[in-house]
Amino acid sequence: MSVDQPAAEARKSIRHKTVAAAVADALRQRILAGEFAAGARLRQDALASEFGISRIPVREALLQLEASGLVKIVPHRGAVVSGLSLEEIEDIFRLRVQLEPSLLILSAHHFTKDDYKELHGLKQEYSIALKSGLVQQWGELNRRFHMGLLRHAGRPRSMGIVASLLQDCDRPTRLQLSVSGDVARADTEHSQILDLCEAGEIVSAANLLRSHIEHAGHSLIEIYRKSLAA
């Protein structure tokens, strides 16, 4: 083995990891946008051909997506886009109801003028996306707004759990808003939560956040039940 070979192998490994990260990000966006439905198979050879790369970084990308819960590696089937069961949806919203209102109370006392400026900007961006029917943006903007409300809670573990729950809610959130027609309600309640925080009525803001999450959860669960019955 030449002296340069370990360095060459290291460079090759870095290239693979960089390409894998780019592929993982591209696939993540397509999954969240609904291009790949729950249960769809992600074939390594087809993806490698589409991206014009070898199967190695594709395999690494799929493992990254599995770690984030968007993909499951199933024996004899390969990578399959994850879906949520009715029980998982119920559990996600139950946990959000338990965590987010209390985190908001801890967080809102520490909001600065810059925080409110950013939150109003996010709220406005979300409002425009809702009214314009930019469905692919709804889940991500909703996640950013909710995480923004909780940013100063000082509870990193709880925040990590909420961040994961909100990611899992991305596709279901877009489904719930699209099917239920709750676009105006979601927009209005985000505004009201923010206004209450600014007025110093933080407990009222937390109570509204609780009912906001509960309504979305109940609505989505009803949609899932009707789908299963059909």
Side-chain angles (χ1 to χ4, degrees), residues 92-93 96 164-174:
I92 285 169
F93 279 90
R96 287 187 61 196
S164 177
L165 295 172
L166 286 167
Q167 177 176 287
D168 290 340
C169 281
D170 186 295
R171 282 177 291 169
T173 292
R174 286 186 276 113

Side-chain angles (χ1 to χ4, degrees), residues 109-125:
H109 290 289
H110 304 288
F111 284 160
T112 65
K113 289 182 179 180
D114 286 341
D115 289 324
Y116 280 117
K117 182 179 179 180
E118 183 178 344
L119 285 166
H120 277 294
L122 276 172
K123 207 288 306 179
Q124 183 63 20
E125 191 176 353

Side-chain angles (χ1 to χ4, degrees), residues 205-225:
N207 288 335
L208 179 55
L209 177 60
R210 179 179 290 105
S211 66
H212 173 74
I213 298 168
E214 286 175 339
H215 173 77
H218 292 156
S219 176
L220 184 59
I221 288 164
E222 185 63 24
I223 290 168
Y224 266 62
R225 284 177 175 159

Side-chain angles (χ1 to χ4, degrees), residues 70-107:
L70 288 176
V71 163
K72 292 180 181 178
I73 307 298
V74 182
H76 310 301
R77 291 196 67 199
V80 177
V81 177
S82 299
L84 294 173
S85 66
L86 177 60
E87 291 75 19
E88 287 173 315
I89 291 290
E90 290 174 335
D91 204 31
I92 285 169
F93 279 90
R94 178 181 59 80
L95 289 169
R96 287 187 61 196
V97 166
Q98 290 177 353
L99 291 171
E100 290 189 48
S102 59
L103 290 173
L104 177 60
I105 290 173
L106 292 171
S107 176

Side-chain angles (χ1 to χ4, degrees), residues 119-173:
L119 285 166
H120 277 294
L122 276 172
K123 207 288 306 179
Q124 183 63 20
E125 191 176 353
Y126 186 44
S127 178
I128 292 170
L130 288 172
K131 292 173 182 175
S132 302
L134 301 174
V135 180
Q136 70 277 11
Q137 297 181 18
W138 291 356
E140 173 62 13
L141 289 170
N142 182 68
R143 182 194 67 79
R144 288 170 59 193
F145 181 79
H146 278 256
M147 291 298 291
L149 288 173
L150 313 179
R151 70 181 64 185
H152 294 309
R155 297 291 188 273
R157 288 200 177 191
S158 294
M159 289 291 286
I161 293 170
V162 171
S164 177
L165 295 172
L166 286 167
Q167 177 176 287
D168 290 340
C169 281
D170 186 295
R171 282 177 291 169
T173 292

